[in-house]
Amino acid sequence: MKEAILQFGTGNFLRGFADFFVDAMNKQGIFDGKIVVVSPTNSRVVEKINSQGGKYNLILRGIENGSELCERTEINSISRAINPYADFDEYIKLASSSDLRFIISNTTEAGICFDDTCKLTDRPASSFPAKLTQLLHKRYEQNLGGFVILACELIENNGSELKNCVLKYASLWNLDNGFVDWINNENTFCNTLVDRIVTGYPTDEANRIFDEIGYCDSLLDTAEPYHLWVIEGNFEDELPLKRAGFNVIWTDDVAPYKKMKVRILNGSHTSLVFPSLLCGVEAVGDSLKDELLCSFLHKCLFGYIMPMLDDTDEIKAFSNAVLERFANPYIRHLWKSISLNSVSKFTARVLPTVNDYIADEIVPKPLAFSLACLIEYYKNNTVQDDEAAVEFIKNNSIEAILSNAQLWGDDLSKMLGVVKDSLERIHTDGIREAIKWSMS
């Protein structure tokens, strides 16, 4: 089977996401291609991949369509792995392969960055975009066609940002105009949105699983059943992900789906985190088992967040899936972890919905209550956030906190009445009675 996909990234996420999809397409007989993995860092995972011939097991477990699922698949989509720090010549030789058509990357949020110390003659260049530019330039010199590049890093406009970095290196390295034209005309850098919780190697359960499968698998991976991949462009004819049955959306614009994810999934997390912590509930799944907190989540999500989004089947399905994902018994997602940097999270995830209501002279009570819970928690607990933001919240009045546009990116004084009432209810009636009041 030919190597049709070059993958930058050896981590759990892509092995629990794109590599799983490619394996399924191959097994269904609708795709004929393997993945050659390149390590963007000097990683020992390359040795593990090659020692196992690219084979590993993925276990999907969680709740899907109301039923608990636990399903293991042996993945055989990876042909080999290359460490460009150990064998740069083998890496750069990939540029000459006419079989390669797609490039997939997931190099962490910090991976797509421009480092002006990188040189074309480095073996390899240190940054991921510089390594990619080295490969693309060699391919250009071979007079071969370009790639479809699917950037999966969790940054805004990931594909566009990666292309910008490549073009910056072309300028820094004084590469000819023909190469720049080739980048622009022969290659497609797709912005994408990815969504799946990949929980990785199950340390506590590994030996039991090895007994079941009959061998040790150092690449063993676990993930939730839910997945979403939104890709700008349409290469379904070449990469038939939808035909294989996956929740993949080819589109002209990722932005509406990004808005859906941020407001529904992330906004629900951020709305529920501090009411839960103030109730002494430690994990997301525990909140879903708590009747009051579960009702509060439903009120925020279905009563306030969803009505400010388009009324589409995709949004309804995504919202329902969020509840199943939060209730996943195989993932103990601690609220303390989710609470990190919550000032910026509230600003990005919840405030846009709040502002939609305020534009109509309405203060959404449960969402304002969640902000009151954030303030209450920050004033009385040790939290991890920007030090200046934490100190300001601890030492200032509610009026000053809400009017601080530097803190929230906006003046939130229109929420003052509901936030003050919320805090008064918390102090006089207790958190659980206050939650009931917020939903009335």
Side-chain angles (χ1 to χ4, degrees):
M1 194 176 289
K2 64 184 181 182
E3 290 179 337
I5 299 171
L6 190 165
Q7 174 176 302
F8 285 94
T10 60
N12 292 322
F13 178 76
L14 285 180
R15 285 191 283 109
F17 191 74
D19 300 355
F20 168 64
F21 301 161
V22 173
D23 180 73
M25 290 190 296
N26 284 333
K27 287 172 179 173
Q28 292 178 33
I30 58 175
F31 189 68
D32 181 30
K34 288 221 171 189
I35 300 164
V36 52
V37 173
V38 170
S39 173
T41 61
N42 192 4
S43 171
R44 292 183 177 179
V45 180
V46 166
E47 298 170 11
K48 293 181 181 180
I49 292 172
N50 288 331
S51 68
Q52 296 187 185
K55 181 177 71 173
Y56 65 96
N57 289 268
L58 174 67
I59 300 175
L60 300 180
R61 48 193 188 175
I63 300 174
E64 187 174 57
N65 299 321
S67 300
E68 195 166 316
L69 171 79
C70 185
E71 182 177 277
R72 179 181 66 86
T73 304
E74 187 177 87
I75 309 296
N76 290 282
S77 54
I78 296 175
S79 60
R80 59 188 170 124
I82 297 171
N83 181 348
Y85 292 85
D87 195 347
F88 181 76
D89 290 336
E90 191 65 22
Y91 163 64
I92 209 68
K93 192 161 66 173
L94 293 171
S96 303
S97 171
S98 59
D99 290 332
L100 285 176
R101 172 59 173 153
F102 292 92
I103 293 177
I104 299 173
S105 71
N106 185 41
T107 57
T108 78
E109 293 92 320
I112 298 180
C113 65
F114 181 75
D115 179 354
D116 63 7
T117 65
C118 293
K119 299 180 179 63
L120 179 63
T121 53
D122 290 342
R123 295 174 60 84
S126 59
S127 81
F128 157 56
K131 288 184 187 71
L132 177 60
T133 308
Q134 289 177 309
L135 184 87
L136 293 173
H137 187 254
K138 176 62 71 172
R139 191 172 184 85
Y140 163 72
E141 291 182 329
Q142 303 293 319
N143 292 314
L144 292 173
F147 297 103
V148 176
I149 300 166
L150 307 172
C152 297
E153 288 80 2
L154 297 177
I155 63 170
E156 201 79 26
N157 300 315
N158 41 24
S160 298
E161 288 300 314
L162 180 56
K163 181 178 180 180
N164 287 339
C165 287
V166 169
L167 292 174
K168 282 183 180 180
Y169 282 117
S171 175
L172 178 68
W173 297 343
N174 295 314
L175 303 178
D176 64 74
N177 290 334
F179 174 65
V180 173
D181 290 341
W182 182 84
I183 289 293
N184 287 321
N185 299 322
E186 296 292 327
N187 297 269
T188 303
F189 290 76
C190 300
N191 293 319
T192 80
L193 171 68
V194 297
D195 189 8
R196 169 173 261 178
I197 297 172
V198 177
T199 38
Y201 187 86
T203 303
D204 295 340
E205 307 163 82
N207 288 333
R208 175 185 60 79
I209 295 169
F210 296 162
D211 288 340
E212 291 177 3
I213 64 179
Y215 59 92
C216 291
D217 179 1
S218 64
L219 300 171
L220 180 63
D221 204 2
T222 61
E224 66 173 341
Y226 180 84
H227 64 276
L228 171 66
W229 199 359
V230 184
I231 306 170
E232 280 186 1
N234 192 345
F235 295 92
E236 176 71 16
D237 288 346
E238 296 182 73
L239 196 68
L241 293 158
K242 287 180 68 69
R243 185 178 164 196
F246 294 110
N247 187 24
V248 172
I249 298 170
W250 301 99
T251 180
D252 294 331
D253 187 7
V254 166
Y257 300 95
K258 172 81 170 178
K259 178 179 178 181
M260 176 185 75
K261 177 180 181 287
V262 169
R263 292 208 185 187
I264 293 175
L265 175 65
N266 304 127
S268 294
H269 260 154
T270 302
S271 299
L272 188 58
V273 54
F274 291 108
S276 296
L277 284 172
L278 289 172
C279 286
V281 176
E282 295 183 348
V284 177
D286 296 335
S287 292
L288 270 288
K289 295 174 185 176
D290 185 301
E291 185 176 347
L292 179 62
L293 290 171
C294 189
S295 295
F296 180 77
L297 171 61
H298 276 74
K299 190 75 170 181
C300 291
L301 176 54
F302 296 106
Y304 287 89
I305 296 172
M306 274 186 62
M308 285 294 119
L309 299 170
D310 294 333
D311 185 18
T312 66
D313 291 339
E314 286 172 339
I315 284 175
K316 291 174 185 174
F318 187 76
S319 298
N320 289 324
V322 161
L323 298 180
E324 292 190 332
R325 298 171 73 186
F326 283 8
N328 190 336
Y330 295 97
I331 300 175
R332 185 164 175 79
H333 203 171
L334 296 177
W335 283 123
K336 280 282 183 69
S337 299
I338 294 168
S339 73
L340 303 180
N341 304 309
S342 279
V343 170
S344 60
K345 286 177 180 176
F346 187 90
T347 300
R349 300 171 173 186
V350 182
L351 195 54
T353 300
V354 171
N355 284 336
D356 285 346
Y357 283 97
I358 289 178
D360 293 330
E361 302 298 324
I362 299 169
V363 177
K365 193 174 174 184
L367 301 183
F369 180 81
S370 73
L371 177 57
C373 289
L374 182 156
I375 294 169
E376 175 71 10
Y377 194 86
Y378 270 50
K379 280 186 171 293
N380 297 288
N381 295 273
T382 300
V383 296
Q384 292 186 43
D385 206 329
D386 177 77
E387 288 185 14
V390 173
E391 287 303 308
F392 191 89
I393 292 173
K394 283 187 179 296
N395 299 313
N396 284 274
S397 66
I398 305 306
E399 290 85 350
I401 293 167
L402 294 183
S403 64
N404 187 341
Q406 187 175 355
L407 197 62
W408 311 105
D410 202 355
D411 184 337
L412 306 186
S413 296
K414 288 185 177 180
M415 300 173 69
L416 180 60
V418 178
V419 171
K420 288 190 78 171
D421 287 349
S422 299
L423 288 166
E424 184 177 338
R425 293 277 179 170
I426 292 170
H427 295 156
T428 57
D429 300 334
I431 182 61
R432 287 191 170 271
E433 288 301 316
I435 292 172
K436 292 176 186 176
W437 168 82
S438 76
M439 296 187 287
S440 61

